[in-house]
Amino acid sequence: MALPGWRDHLATLAEAEEVLGLLARPANPALEQEALRLLFLALSGGFLTTFADPDRPDFVPAVNNLLNGSMTNPDFIYGTATVDGAGTYRISGERGDALFLFFDIVAGGLGVMDTLGPSLGSIDGDSLTIDADGLFELLLSAERPTDWAGDWRPLDPRARTITMRQAVYDWGRGRDPRVAIERVDRPLHHRRSTPGEVAERLAALAAYPRRYAGLWLGVVRDWMARGLWNRFEHDDWAGRGGVTGQHYYQGLFRLEPGYALLLETALPARVRYWNVQLGDLVWNTIDWVNWQSSLNGGQARLDDDGRFRAVIALDDPGVPNWLDPGGNTEGAIMLRWTEASDGPAPMLTPVRLDRLRNHLPHDTPAVTPAERDDALRRRRTGAQLRRRWEGE
């Protein structure tokens, strides 16, 4: 039987055009181009997982500031590794100075060869033994080996993917974690893939843009149908790429001419990490390296009453907590509370730009253009200093 060739894969890729039908109508040229960009993004990011081998696992950066689909979190460095739930794996490395280092074990992730599956448990790096040099070693297996004296956690036989998240508030400062994974229950071997195996995986990659983009365009379309404009709903993305037990507040924003949106929320009494970020209508996070499209608990300024207030506006409103939508008058918004004692619900309120200061505390500082330029340059430098590509 003849294996699929280049034209066969191109024909499969062409089927992805169907997802453009999920765009809001009438779709404008800019949104259509962003949707096409998402299809190429899926192809690029998907390649990183297409040939993943559970016998030779590796944490690969399938999402980052360039592969920014699925509302990638600007404060996280992600890595995803393919595993076999029947195997034994050793994860080792350096804890670093991150706010946290999480490993989420799932029955299926967003990889090209995966199907979505439920979360099977999370491991907090701080629950592991960290030696005087900041190093750790963890063994995952169905049962604990009798000759293993170090840290061990059970590996569910349904496990197919381990997603790693490293979170920081102050980008580019301190030491980022360094992590490696290897399978240790069988000898390391090098096996060349058969032509049929390569063809199967390439066929899956060619079909991936339709699946990946369709998923996120479907999310946005659902939110539109439920009227989530300028308001939030609570969700739990566990088993769909999110962190178990995390509070997610999500919705859509819409800016009318002459208006800004005031975001306001209380903070939990106790919270390990939080952020808010903006995305476009194909669920790409807006470029956070070059725009202040996100803020986290270390970057944000809190008011004297303990509340967080931010302004979403196309042009700089001259306040510290500006959320820049990158020229988008419509888009997505998400706020996370991680390991929080409660989950306060944020609010979005349209306010006239010429009356914005009337809705803010009287002592809200004024940010000059020079100060903004300096802040954006420091933000851009900090983002580039991070280990954005795991293994760099």
Side-chain angles (χ1 to χ4, degrees):
M1 181 178 178
L3 297 175
W6 179 245
R7 291 185 179 180
D8 298 304
H9 294 314
L10 289 179
T12 301
L13 280 168
E15 295 174 0
E17 186 178 15
E18 295 178 5
V19 304
L20 300 181
L22 296 173
L23 292 174
R25 296 299 175 187
N28 60 65
L31 184 58
E32 288 183 345
Q33 290 303 309
E34 286 303 316
L36 292 173
R37 177 182 175 276
L38 178 60
L39 295 177
F40 281 99
L41 182 157
L43 197 62
S44 178
F47 186 84
L48 296 175
T49 64
T50 298
F51 294 95
D53 185 344
D55 288 347
R56 295 173 290 181
D58 185 12
F59 284 110
V60 298
V63 292
N64 49 62
N65 65 294
L66 295 179
L67 305 176
N68 61 330
S70 65
M71 282 291 275
T72 301
N73 188 321
D75 303 313
F76 290 1
I77 299 297
Y78 295 84
T80 182
T82 297
V83 297
D84 173 3
T88 300
Y89 293 86
R90 179 169 57 214
I91 299 177
S92 59
E94 183 179 3
R95 165 63 176 80
D97 300 322
L99 279 173
F100 61 72
L101 174 63
F102 285 165
F103 300 96
D104 192 29
I105 303 173
V106 296
L110 292 170
V112 167
M113 305 306 293
D114 290 340
T115 56
L116 284 175
S119 175
L120 304 173
S122 294
I123 300 169
D124 186 339
D126 290 344
S127 70
L128 305 177
T129 302
I130 311 294
D131 70 15
D133 295 320
L135 304 178
F136 68 90
E137 195 170 39
L138 168 68
L139 199 70
L140 300 172
S141 59
E143 297 182 0
R144 181 177 190 135
T146 56
D147 60 347
W148 179 259
D151 287 327
W152 171 84
R153 298 290 187 276
L155 184 63
D156 192 294
R158 296 172 293 169
R160 293 294 177 268
T161 305
I162 300 178
T163 299
M164 174 180 62
R165 291 172 172 84
Q166 309 171 13
V168 299
Y169 274 160
D170 195 355
W171 301 350
R173 299 283 184 141
R175 295 173 297 112
D176 285 310
R178 297 185 300 152
V179 181
I181 181 171
E182 56 183 322
R183 185 168 187 171
V184 296
D185 61 314
R186 59 179 57 174
L188 184 63
H189 68 283
H190 301 284
R191 184 184 70 83
R192 185 184 179 96
S193 299
T194 68
E197 290 170 338
V198 173
E200 177 187 10
R201 289 173 181 263
L202 290 177
L205 177 60
Y208 188 65
R210 178 183 182 184
R211 176 161 67 96
Y212 184 83
L215 179 62
W216 308 126
L217 291 178
V219 166
V220 173
R221 180 167 180 155
D222 176 62
W223 291 2
M224 289 179 176
R226 291 188 286 114
L228 287 184
W229 292 108
N230 293 344
R231 66 185 184 92
F232 290 92
E233 69 171 9
H234 183 270
D235 197 5
D236 180 356
W237 280 86
R240 293 176 289 152
V243 176
T244 301
Q246 186 165 248
H247 291 283
Y248 291 89
Y249 283 94
Q250 59 198 23
L252 301 168
F253 70 84
R254 174 179 284 156
L255 291 167
E256 301 293 345
Y259 280 78
L261 285 170
L262 177 62
L263 168 64
E264 183 175 358
T265 183
L267 266 68
R270 174 183 52 78
V271 61
R272 188 172 186 180
Y273 162 84
W274 66 273
N275 91 317
V276 60
Q277 64 189 75
L278 301 181
D280 59 25
L281 286 184
V282 299
W283 233 50
N284 292 327
T285 306
I286 292 169
D287 177 6
W288 63 84
V289 175
N290 297 298
W291 281 269
Q292 188 170 286
S293 61
S294 70
L295 290 167
N296 62 44
Q299 298 166 340
R301 178 190 182 274
L302 299 183
D303 292 320
D304 289 342
D305 60 4
R307 296 178 72 82
F308 168 65
R309 296 176 177 86
V311 177
I312 304 173
L314 290 173
D315 298 314
D316 188 351
V319 299
N321 295 335
W322 175 33
L323 287 171
D324 186 349
N328 292 279
T329 58
E330 296 179 339
I333 184 168
M334 177 174 281
L335 183 147
R336 299 168 172 85
W337 308 118
T338 301
E339 292 191 14
S341 55
D342 56 317
M347 298 182 300
L348 284 174
T349 305
V351 296
R352 283 179 49 172
L353 283 167
D354 58 358
R355 297 181 182 176
L356 174 61
R357 287 280 171 175
N358 296 338
H359 298 270
L360 298 172
H362 66 87
D363 58 349
T364 301
V367 177
T368 67
E371 290 171 332
R372 182 73 71 197
D373 184 74
D374 179 65
L376 291 175
R377 290 181 183 278
R378 285 186 281 108
R379 177 184 180 95
R380 192 171 189 277
T381 298
Q384 292 181 78
L385 289 174
R386 297 197 67 194
R387 291 175 55 87
R388 292 171 293 165
W389 335 111
E390 185 58 32
E392 69 181 348

